[in-house]
Amino acid sequence: MILRTKASQLRKALSEAQSYAHWAELAQELDAVMGLDLWRLENESGDYDFHLIRERLQQLRTFQRQPDLSNLVRALREGLHHDLGNMGNPLLYYRSNFGTKKLIEDYIDQVCESLLFLANHEVTCLPFDRKLQFFRETAQSFGQPALMLSGGATLGLFHIGVCKALHEQDLLPEVISGSSAGSMMAAMIGTHTDDELRALYAGEGFYMNAWNWSKWYRGFMGEGFAEQPQLERFLRTNIGEYSFEEAYLRTGRHINVTVSPVQLHQKPRLMNELTAPYLLVWSAVLASCAVPLIFPPVTLTTKDNEGKYVPYMPGQRWVDGSVKSDLPRTRLTHLYDVNFFIAVQVNPHIVPFMENDKERLERAKLMSWPARILREELKFHGTGVFNFLRHQFTHEASRQLMDHAYSIISQRYYGDVTIAPPKYSIEHYKHMLHNPSPEAWRWFCLQGERATWPKVAMIRSHIRIARTLKSCIAQLEGRRNRRQADYPMENLSDGGTVAG
C-alpha cells in the first residue's frame, strides 16, 4: 500500500514537472519504487536481439584496444546500421519510465566512443583523406533524423514546446518539415540561430497578431473569411525576408514547407533549399497556411538574380500543405537520407482519434483484430469515395474540400516516434483560431515539453550515433580547412602530413 501511494504521488508529480531535469529525477525514482530499474539491468528480452547487441559491444571494446585499428574500422563501416537488432523497438522504451535496457545504452555509448576515438587519433590504415571519406560514407549509410510538424492553427504553439525540449537535450534534428501551422514553427526554428532560439522559446520578440477576421461576405465571394495581409505581416515579422537557401546558410537547418496545388494537373510540392532555393520562406508558409475557405490561394514569391521579389510560377496558386501532404515522409527520405521520423501531431480533427505508440504496438493482439479490420475497411471505402468525388467537381472550393477529406482519411499521421497532446479540452479548441497571447504561448509550450520528455530516451537512442558522425565530420573538415589556410601549398591527400 505504501509503495502504491508513493508511486501515485510520483506519477502526479511527473505530470506537473516544470523542467526535464526534475522530470528525469522523478521518473528514475518512480522506476526504483516499482522495481523497473532492475528490468533495465537485465539483458534478456523478446523485444530485441540482445545476443547480437552484446556480441557487437564486446567486439568494439576488443577492437579499440588492439594496436591495429583496422578491425575497428571495418566493424564500424560494415556493421553500423540504424536500429540494429531492433534496439529501437518502442516497446523497449515504455516498460520503464526512464531509459531502456542498459545493454542498448552501453552499445550506443561504445559506438560513439569508438567513432570519436578514430576521429581524434592517428590511424595507420586511415590517412586523413580516407578517414574523412570513411566518416562521410558511414554517415550517408547510417542516415539522419527528421522532425515533422503538423497543421493545427494556433494549436501549433505546441510545436514550440517540443522543439524547445529537443533543443535543450541537443536532439533537435536539422531536417524539419511543416505544413500549415507546422510550417510557421518550422520556418521560425529554421531562420533563427541557436542564440536567437533561446529568446524565441521564451516568447520574446514574437509578434502575435496573426488573425484578423474579414467581412463575412468576402468569404462567400471566395476571398477568404480571414484577412491574408494580416497573416502575411505576422509571418514576415517572425520569419524574416530569407530565401530557403539564405535560411540554410544562416542556421544549417533544412526547412521544408509543404504546399498543395489548386490546379488539377499539379502535385504537392515540398519547398526547401534544394527544390526551391530562391523562394522566400514566408511566401511558402503563407501558401501552406491558406486553409480552403479561410484564406484564398497564394501565388508564391521568389527572388530574382538582383534580389528583387518576383512571382514564382505566376500561373499557379497554392493552398494549405496539410491538404495533401501533412507529414511528407517519402520525399524527406529521398532528399535527406532520413532514417527516423519524429512526428508531432496537433491537428484538431486527428488528435482525438489517435492512439499512443504503446497502444498501436499492442494492437497486434488477437482480441483487437475485429476493431482493426473494421477500421481498415472504413478507411478503404472512405478513401475510394472521396478520391472519386475530388475528380468529379469542377468548382474550385468544392474540389479543395473533397481533397481535404480524402487526405484526412488516406494520410499516415504517425512517425517512428509520435508526439501529441494527451487529450484536447474545450480550452484547446477555444484557442484554435485566436491570436496567441503570452499566456497561451507559455501554456502550449509547457504542454509540448511535457509530451516530449517521456520520448527523449528513445529519440536519443535513434539520433545519437548520427549526431556523433556529423560531429566527427565537422571536426575533420575544420582541421583540414585550418591546415590548408596555414599551408596552402601542402597536399593533405598524400596520406602522411596530417595526423588523423
Side-chain angles (χ1 to χ4, degrees):
M1 177 64 74
I2 295 176
L3 290 179
R4 284 200 297 270
T5 301
K6 179 65 173 176
S8 178
Q9 293 172 343
L10 287 169
R11 289 192 185 95
K12 185 175 186 300
L14 272 177
S15 67
E16 298 173 350
Q18 298 291 313
S19 69
Y20 177 73
H22 186 214
W23 182 92
E25 180 183 346
L26 292 169
Q28 292 176 79
E29 185 178 354
L30 179 58
D31 281 347
V33 168
M34 300 177 65
L36 295 176
D37 51 347
L38 299 177
W39 173 85
R40 296 182 63 234
L41 297 176
E42 298 171 354
N43 293 339
E44 292 78 6
S45 171
D47 294 324
Y48 77 120
D49 190 344
F50 63 91
H51 295 291
L52 174 61
I53 302 300
R54 184 170 56 194
E55 179 185 352
R56 289 281 300 161
L57 173 60
Q58 292 171 348
Q59 280 183 344
L60 291 175
R61 285 174 172 171
T62 299
F63 292 157
Q64 189 169 322
R65 290 194 296 265
Q66 293 176 347
D68 183 0
L69 294 174
S70 59
N71 287 329
L72 179 63
V73 172
R74 292 180 65 86
L76 290 170
R77 184 66 187 90
E78 295 181 348
L80 192 57
H81 298 284
H82 178 252
D83 204 12
L84 182 70
N86 202 28
M87 66 180 184
N89 184 348
L91 290 176
L92 291 165
Y93 297 84
Y94 293 120
R95 181 70 179 273
S96 63
N97 296 283
F98 185 84
T100 185
K101 293 289 189 182
K102 189 173 185 300
L103 175 62
I104 294 175
E105 295 171 350
D106 288 345
Y107 170 72
I108 294 172
D109 286 345
Q110 183 58 53
V111 169
C112 295
E113 179 186 327
S114 295
L115 290 170
L116 290 169
F117 181 85
L118 290 180
N120 290 316
H121 290 79
E122 185 172 355
V123 182
T124 305
C125 63
L126 275 186
F128 186 86
D129 58 331
R130 287 179 56 194
K131 179 184 288 191
L132 187 54
Q133 181 183 0
F134 162 84
F135 277 102
R136 286 172 173 168
E137 291 175 348
T138 305
Q140 181 179 357
S141 171
F142 191 81
Q144 66 174 322
L147 178 66
M148 301 185 296
L149 308 177
S150 79
T154 305
L155 299 176
L157 292 176
F158 180 90
H159 295 318
I160 287 292
V162 174
C163 293
K164 179 175 183 284
L166 293 176
H167 201 173
E168 288 179 346
Q169 299 303 311
D170 194 27
L171 297 174
L172 183 66
E174 293 177 359
V175 178
I176 306 175
S177 77
S179 61
S180 196
S183 70
M184 293 185 190
M185 300 304 161
M188 284 191 282
I189 297 296
T191 54
H192 288 73
T193 64
D194 285 347
D195 289 338
E196 293 168 342
L197 281 178
R198 294 183 182 92
L200 178 66
Y201 294 143
E204 296 176 10
F206 181 71
Y207 177 64
M208 297 194 175
N209 191 10
W211 298 97
N212 194 11
W213 294 106
S214 183
K215 303 293 184 182
W216 62 268
Y217 62 84
R218 295 185 63 183
F220 288 108
M221 293 174 60
E223 298 177 13
F225 287 98
E227 293 187 4
Q228 201 167 62
Q230 180 59 44
L231 178 61
E232 179 180 326
R233 189 178 304 113
F234 168 87
L235 295 175
R236 297 177 76 166
T237 302
N238 289 311
I239 295 171
E241 301 293 323
Y242 302 105
S243 68
F244 280 96
E245 182 179 65
E246 290 166 344
Y248 172 70
L249 293 174
R250 187 170 195 266
T251 69
R253 298 186 182 92
H254 306 276
I255 309 170
N256 292 264
V257 175
T258 58
V259 295
S260 302
V262 171
Q263 284 81 0
L264 278 172
H265 303 295
Q266 284 285 347
K267 295 184 181 298
R269 297 285 185 94
L270 188 64
M271 302 303 194
N272 51 49
E273 85 283 356
L274 299 177
T275 62
Y278 317 120
L279 186 69
L280 288 160
V281 176
W282 65 259
S283 171
V285 175
L286 185 66
S288 192
C289 293
V291 179
L293 300 182
I294 303 296
F295 292 108
V298 172
T299 300
L300 297 173
T301 304
T302 188
K303 290 184 179 181
D304 63 14
N305 290 333
E306 299 177 351
K308 296 179 181 178
Y309 290 7
V310 295
Y312 174 87
M313 299 180 68
Q316 305 295 322
R317 294 182 301 161
W318 308 85
V319 294
D320 185 0
S322 64
V323 167
K324 294 186 179 181
S325 187
D326 196 40
L327 303 177
R329 295 170 61 103
T330 302
R331 191 70 172 131
L332 290 173
T333 299
H334 291 165
L335 288 172
Y336 298 107
D337 193 28
V338 174
N339 62 13
F340 176 70
F341 290 94
I342 305 167
V344 188
Q345 182 57 253
V346 298
N347 264 312
H349 55 280
I350 300 298
V351 170
F353 304 100
M354 292 183 71
E355 301 170 295
N356 63 43
D357 290 336
K358 184 178 181 181
E359 291 171 340
R360 287 193 303 115
L361 292 165
E362 291 180 343
R363 279 198 290 115
K365 295 177 180 177
L366 184 62
M367 294 297 292
S368 70
W369 283 16
R372 292 170 61 197
I373 291 172
L374 178 60
R375 186 183 295 108
E376 292 301 319
E377 279 293 306
L378 290 174
K379 180 178 179 179
F380 174 78
H381 292 295
T383 300
V385 168
F386 285 112
N387 187 38
F388 172 79
L389 291 175
R390 69 190 183 126
H391 288 98
Q392 305 309 310
F393 284 100
T394 56
H395 185 263
E396 182 178 295
S398 299
R399 189 175 70 250
Q400 288 180 29
L401 287 174
M402 291 303 103
D403 264 343
H404 203 49
Y406 169 78
S407 298
I408 289 173
I409 297 176
S410 63
Q411 288 189 58
R412 179 180 177 183
Y413 291 99
Y414 296 93
D416 297 295
V417 170
T418 305
I419 302 172
K423 61 181 179 180
Y424 275 154
S425 64
I426 297 299
E427 189 69 19
H428 286 86
Y429 290 104
K430 283 168 57 180
H431 281 290
M432 200 172 78
L433 292 178
H434 285 76
N435 284 313
S437 65
E439 294 75 21
W441 178 283
R442 290 189 291 270
W443 187 63
F444 278 108
C445 186
L446 185 57
Q447 288 184 53
E449 290 182 88
R450 286 173 174 165
T452 306
W453 292 335
K455 313 280 187 174
V456 163
M458 181 161 41
I459 294 170
R460 181 177 283 117
S461 292
H462 282 277
I463 288 181
R464 190 173 166 210
I465 293 175
R467 277 292 171 86
T468 303
L469 284 164
K470 179 176 177 57
S471 175
C472 291
I473 293 171
Q475 178 181 327
L476 291 169
E477 288 179 339
R479 192 183 308 169
R480 179 196 59 188
N481 294 339
R482 289 191 298 271
R483 184 69 176 182
Q484 288 179 336
D486 292 339
Y487 304 98
M489 299 303 294
E490 185 174 315
N491 182 3
L492 294 186
S493 64
D494 63 6
T497 56
V498 176

